[in-house]
Amino acid sequence: MQRDKFERIMDHIVKCIDDAGYSAEEQLAAYVLTGDDYYITRNGNAREWIKKLDIKQIKRYIKQNF
């Protein structure tokens, strides 16, 4: 997936997690560690979007943004 598209999707997911009242950093880290999408809110279809992303790209995103 192209980097700009990936980042737009991740920015959307982070906003959805924040809007739901959770720490995006903690929720994304838990998702990466466990692979359990339970840590990602359904708000804004964030859970469905994150399933489409590569876990390695998500790890890089976390390291660069948190």
Side-chain angles (χ1 to χ4, degrees):
M1 177 178 297
Q2 293 178 341
R3 183 177 173 90
D4 59 327
K5 182 176 181 180
F6 171 81
E7 294 215 0
R8 282 196 310 271
I9 293 170
M10 282 303 300
D11 290 345
H12 172 74
I13 292 169
V14 167
K15 182 179 180 336
C16 290
I17 294 170
D18 288 342
D19 289 350
Y22 300 105
S23 163
E25 180 179 10
E26 290 176 10
Q27 298 302 101
L28 289 170
Y31 172 73
V32 167
L33 289 172
T34 66
D36 188 352
D37 65 7
Y38 171 80
Y39 291 101
I40 307 302
T41 183
R42 291 178 192 228
N43 184 31
N45 290 324
R47 191 175 293 174
E48 293 305 313
W49 279 107
I50 203 156
K51 291 177 189 178
K52 299 175 183 180
L53 302 178
D54 180 64
I55 200 79
K56 290 179 185 177
Q57 285 183 298
I58 296 171
K59 287 178 184 179
R60 271 186 256 134
Y61 181 90
I62 292 169
K63 286 180 183 179
Q64 292 173 351
N65 293 285
F66 294 103

